[in-house]
């Protein structure tokens, strides 16, 4: 080791770095992130999205802060209601939903009137202006469902 220190003008710190650095870089380059298979997949769906508030005129006249599945709505909760035709597709109670362009994860906690088809309604608390500003949009959502045991990976 002393031969290289004198011959190339390196001190022991430089030599140690040059000996170990390639090994460290190689090990970092070959590391792969572990993919955990939890038995769920994310499905994609294009829907019409509207927004709603916890007002008697938009929900229940008696219990405006209670969902169709019986959950209490509180400000700041990321909740959506789904049209009943989406429930058999896997958008059932407590399903996790991602809305394209939003990093939040929403939970399905409410159901819409049976007249609606292929639609979600995003809960906006009591912020009527925010709900009106959202309006009605065609969006893509991703929702988490249990993988079918017969499905091939």
């Amino acid at each position: 080791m002393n031969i290289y220190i004198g011959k190339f003008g390196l001190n022991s710190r430089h030599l140690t770095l040059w000996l170990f650095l390639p090994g460290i870089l190689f090990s970092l380059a070959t590391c792969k992130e572990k993919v955990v298979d939890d038995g769920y997949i994310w499905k994609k769906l294009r829907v019409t999205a509207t927004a709603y508030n916890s007002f008697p005129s938009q929900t229940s006249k008696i219990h405006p802060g209670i969902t169709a599945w019986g959950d209490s709505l509180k400000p700041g909760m990321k909740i959506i209601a789904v049209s009943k035709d989406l429930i058999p597709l896997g958008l059932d109670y407590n399903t996790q939903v991602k809305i394209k362009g939003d990093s939040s994860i929403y939970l399905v906690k409410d159901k819409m009137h049976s007249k609606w088809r292929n639609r979600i309604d995003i809960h906006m608390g009591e912020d009527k202006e925010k709900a009106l500003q959202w309006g009605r949009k065609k969006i893509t959502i991703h929702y988490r469902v249990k993988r079918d045991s017969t499905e091939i990976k």
Side-chain angles (χ1 to χ4, degrees), residues 104-153:
S104 302
I105 292 184
Y106 293 78
L107 292 177
V108 175
K109 294 272 190 187
D110 207 353
K111 295 182 268 189
M112 299 172 74
H113 190 280
S114 57
K115 69 181 177 181
W116 300 116
R117 296 278 180 258
N118 198 45
R119 184 174 274 213
I120 68 167
D121 217 357
I122 304 165
H123 181 253
M124 302 275 180
E126 294 186 358
D127 190 343
K128 188 175 182 180
E129 202 52 46
K130 187 177 176 185
L132 289 171
Q133 188 177 11
W134 175 269
R136 182 178 63 218
K137 303 175 184 177
K138 288 270 191 191
I139 63 166
T140 300
I141 63 169
H142 290 86
Y143 60 102
R144 190 171 180 255
V145 294
K146 203 150 189 59
R147 180 185 294 116
D148 185 0
S149 60
T150 61
E151 186 177 310
I152 299 171
K153 291 182 188 181

Side-chain angles (χ1 to χ4, degrees), residues 21-76:
L21 187 61
I24 293 169
L25 291 175
F26 178 76
S27 65
L28 288 173
T30 59
C31 282
K32 290 187 180 173
E33 200 174 300
K34 257 191 175 177
V35 176
V36 178
D37 183 4
D38 63 356
Y40 286 86
I41 58 170
W42 288 90
K43 288 193 170 184
K44 185 170 142 178
L45 184 66
R46 188 118 173 111
V47 296
T48 299
T50 52
Y52 76 108
N53 304 106
S54 296
F55 298 138
S57 61
Q58 295 182 30
T59 57
S60 163
K61 298 206 184 321
I62 301 167
H63 301 290
I66 306 290
T67 70
W69 269 302
D71 289 286
S72 295
L73 295 172
K74 294 176 182 65

